[in-house]
Amino acid sequence: AEGAAETAAAEEAARIPAFRRLASTVAPLPAENVDTDQIIPASFLKVTAKEGLAEGLFANWRYDDPEGLRFPDQSFVLNRPEHEKAKILLAGDNFGCGSSREHAPWALLAHGFRAVISTRFADIFQNNALKNGLLVVAVSPEVSKRLFEQVAADPGVEVAIDLDTQRLTLPGGEQLAFAVDPFARRCLLDGVDQLGYLLDRVPAIEAWEREHPARVDTRVG
């Protein structure tokens, strides 16, 4: 019973928010070279759980008193009512640079974002994001510029992302293909991380092992 409980706990921990299709308004953050300390300041890294990280997202920009999470700056994009329900963040170039900080995608997800669009992502942030259920979509500088302009003209415009077909639909209906690591795509569609992917295949692994006995006897004595 104890082993079954441990397996169930491991399987639960290995689940991430599945991603298939999303249509949403967009929160524009044109700043470039946004690092992970700006995404979630170090003062909010005292926890290993994901709960409560939404309040710390971009805290140094969102609040005049970031330590106390007080006095929100109404000019900052996340504090503006027209963007409060956006599930897609449109960011400037080189988003997520700086130190490796898994709390960064955790905080973005906790706030409600399911995808980030940028012209370029830091490698470590991109890997952390995909492993936690946050899709990152890289577009050309021309497309990024056009998107920022469209959102500025009408904050209510929507962007659609289809991970099944790997298509990004811009306001107005134009569709663009985007790249994503095939294994990360499979995990996102299934709603599992790397461990969850393996756990889902335990029956097949065990069946293979039964049909393929060990070729070397490793028993002692």
Side-chain angles (χ1 to χ4, degrees):
E2 183 178 343
E6 290 177 352
T7 300
E11 290 177 346
E12 178 63 27
R15 298 291 164 183
I16 62 174
F19 192 113
R20 190 165 296 275
R21 299 179 186 87
L22 172 67
S24 171
T25 55
V26 177
L29 184 66
E32 298 184 350
N33 304 309
V34 175
D35 64 34
T36 51
D37 187 59
Q38 292 166 321
I39 297 172
I40 182 73
S43 57
F44 295 94
L45 304 188
K46 301 172 185 177
V47 297
T48 56
K50 303 175 184 179
E51 292 75 18
L53 288 177
E55 289 77 9
L57 179 65
F58 298 119
N60 289 337
W61 293 345
R62 286 172 69 189
Y63 306 100
D64 291 334
D65 175 20
E67 292 293 331
L69 300 176
R70 296 181 300 172
F71 314 121
D73 179 354
Q74 299 301 328
S75 67
F76 185 65
V77 59
L78 298 193
N79 295 333
R80 288 158 54 183
E82 63 268 32
H83 298 302
E84 63 182 2
K85 294 183 179 179
K87 296 184 181 300
I88 299 173
L89 178 68
L90 176 61
D93 184 59
N94 196 29
F95 186 78
C97 57
S99 62
S100 173
R101 188 169 295 187
E102 198 168 17
H103 293 70
W106 287 358
L108 288 160
L109 284 163
H111 181 78
F113 289 118
R114 293 305 319 277
V116 182
I117 298 173
S118 178
T119 51
R120 183 168 49 123
F121 296 94
D123 289 342
I124 295 177
F125 172 83
Q126 177 170 297
N127 291 333
N128 282 339
L130 292 171
K131 290 176 183 178
N132 283 281
L134 180 69
L135 181 63
V136 292
V137 177
V139 298
S140 69
E142 293 75 20
V143 169
S144 174
K145 180 176 183 294
R146 192 173 356 136
L147 264 176
F148 275 115
E149 291 172 348
Q150 288 172 319
V151 174
D154 181 4
V157 297
E158 288 193 347
V159 168
I161 302 172
D162 189 325
L163 185 57
D164 264 326
T165 60
Q166 292 179 227
R167 307 293 290 184
L168 174 69
T169 303
L170 305 178
E174 180 185 358
Q175 291 191 346
L176 302 170
F178 64 89
V180 61
D181 175 79
F183 180 62
R185 174 180 175 273
R186 182 72 268 158
C187 288
L188 279 166
L189 289 170
D190 292 344
V192 295
D193 62 12
Q194 293 169 323
L195 175 59
Y197 179 88
L198 291 175
L199 289 173
D200 282 349
R201 284 150 182 79
V202 166
I205 294 170
E206 292 176 340
W208 189 93
E209 290 179 338
R210 286 193 297 270
E211 296 296 324
H212 299 77
R215 296 180 182 180
V216 177
D217 190 347
T218 57
R219 291 174 295 180
V220 177

